[in-house]
Amino acid sequence: MKSLERTPAALGTAWIAALALFLVHALGNAHYGFFRDELYFIICGFHPQWGYVDQPPLVPLLAAATQTLGHSLFLLRLVPALFAAAGVFVTCLLVVEFGGGAFAQAVAAITFLFTDVLMSFGMKVSPDTVGLLTWPLLALLIARIVKGADRRLWIAAGVTAGVSIESKYSVLFFLAALVIGLLFTAQRKILLDKWFAAGAAIAIAIALPNFIWQWRYDFPMMELLRAGQNGKNLIVSPPLYLFQELLITGLFIWPVWAIGLVWLLATRLYRFLGYAYLLLIVEMLLFHGKHYYPADVYPILIAAGAVPIEVWTRGRGILRGVVVAYLVIFGAVFVPFDLPVLSEQAMIRYQDRLTGIFHISRSATATEHNRETGLLPSDWADMHGWPELASLVARTYRSLPASQRATAVVFAGNYGEASAVEFFDPGIPVISEHNQYWLWGPKGHSGNVMLQVNGSCFHSDHLFASRTLAGRLTDPWVVPEEHAVPVWVCRGIKKPLPAIWDSIKDYE
C-alpha cells in the first residue's frame, strides 16, 4: 500500500505550509540590522576551520557564504527562513506518519509558525537554526523504521545526526535521549541492527573532524561551558525552567505540544519519542542548560498534538474554525517579539502595552546574570549600533598619523565589537581576547599603538605610556553594555601583546 505521506494531498499541504512559512520569514526577517552573533558567524566563516572555540563549523560557513558578493542582510536571513520552511515541511510529514490528515497538518504548521522560540530560530542565523530541520527529520526517519520501513533509513538518520552535530553540540543530548527512549520500549530491537551501527558510524565520521579540532585546542568548548556555569549563566530552579519552556513556546499555544506529549506517551508505537522529550528536559535540568537548548524538539510534539486535535474536531467545522482562529489570533500577539516587523518606537509601545496586560517581566526568560534590559528586547537591541561603532573606529584609525597607523591595531572587548569592525571595514586589523578571537592571537601586532574598544587600555594606567579618549558610540537602541562604548587610543605599550596574551584569554 502506498505510504500516505507520498500522496499528492499530503505532500501538497506540506508544500503549502513550507511556502507560507518561508514567505513570512523572507518578508519579516531582514529588518533592523545584523545581529551580534551573526556578524561573528560571518567572520568565523571567512576563516574556515573544522571548528571554533564556541561552535561547530556549519553555521559560520553558511553565514559567510551569503556575504561573498557583498553585505546583504536579506540573503543572510534567507538561511534561517529556508531551514524554518524545511522544518515545517518535515513536521507536516511527521503529522501524516502519526496518522493525521490535512487539518492536523494545518494545525501543526500554524502552531510551528507562531511558537515563539521556533519563530526566533527561523528569524536570525544561529546554531539552533539547523535543528529546525534535523531534529524533526530524525524523529520522522526513526518513526518510519519502527513501523517497519527499510532499515537502511538508519543511513539517512546517521547523516542527519552528523550534520546536526556540526551545527550545535546540544543535539548530542537529544540523540542520547532518543536512544534511551528506545531502550525503554519494545522498539529497542531496532537498535540491534547492522544498519543502526552503520548510521552511527556515519554520524561519528561526519562529526569527527570537529571533535579532533576541539581536542587539538584542548577542548575550548568545555572550558567555555564551565565558565558559563561558574558565574555568567543564570541557573534556575526546575519549576522556573519548566515555566520558561511554556513561555518560549507560546503563552497561549503551548497546549498543542503538551497534548502531543501526552499522546506520544499513550501511543505504544511512538512512546519512545515522549520518553525522549522527558529525558531531554531532565538532561537540561541536570546540566543547567538554557531554556532554548532543547527547543528544536518541539516540532515533534506539535506534530503529535495536532493528530488528536483533528480527531476531537472531526465533523465539527465550526469548532475547527475556532481552533485555527485561536492559534492565529493568540499566536500573533507575540510576533513582534520574534520578527523585527515594528519600528523601534512602535516596538517599545507594544512591549509596554503587553507587559501591562500580562504582567510578565522580561527577566522571566533571562539566561544570564546581570544582563541589563534596555529600551528594546535584547535581540532587537543587539541588531543596532554595529555600523556606527565600526564607523567611529574607522574614523579614529584613519585619523592617526601614517607612521602610527602602519602598526596600529584595534583591540575589541568582545567578539561582537570585533566582528562589527572587521565586517563593516575589513581593511582595519582587529584582535580581541574573546572566544575565537583569542585563539587567533595578536596576529603579529605588538600593541604599541592600539585602538581599544570598550575598555580603558586593559583597565590599567600602567600598561601604556598614554591613552586618549577618541569618542563614544551614540545610539539609543543598543544593548545597555554597548551604550556609550568608548574608543581609546593607547600608545607606548610596556609589555608586548604576545607576552601577555595567555593571561587575557576570555572564554565565555
Side-chain angles (χ1 to χ4, degrees), residues 17-41:
L19 178 60
L21 204 78
F22 175 76
L23 290 175
V24 167
H25 279 290
L27 295 174
N29 288 358
H31 299 101
Y32 295 157
F34 291 90
F35 184 67
R36 173 196 302 263
D37 290 1
E38 290 176 326
L39 293 170
Y40 180 49
F41 299 146

Side-chain angles (χ1 to χ4, degrees), residues 317-370:
I318 294 177
L319 184 56
R320 287 188 170 185
V322 170
V323 169
V324 170
Y326 175 89
L327 292 173
V328 171
I329 293 171
F330 287 98
V333 169
F334 296 99
V335 166
F337 293 89
D338 306 316
L339 293 182
V341 292
L342 297 181
S343 69
E344 289 84 354
Q345 293 88 349
M347 184 66 223
I348 292 172
R349 291 194 298 270
Y350 192 80
Q351 176 179 249
D352 291 343
R353 189 173 296 119
L354 258 64
T355 300
I357 294 173
F358 298 114
H359 304 290
I360 295 177
S361 169
R362 278 190 266 170
S363 62
T365 53
T367 59
E368 296 178 5
H369 285 288
N370 304 318

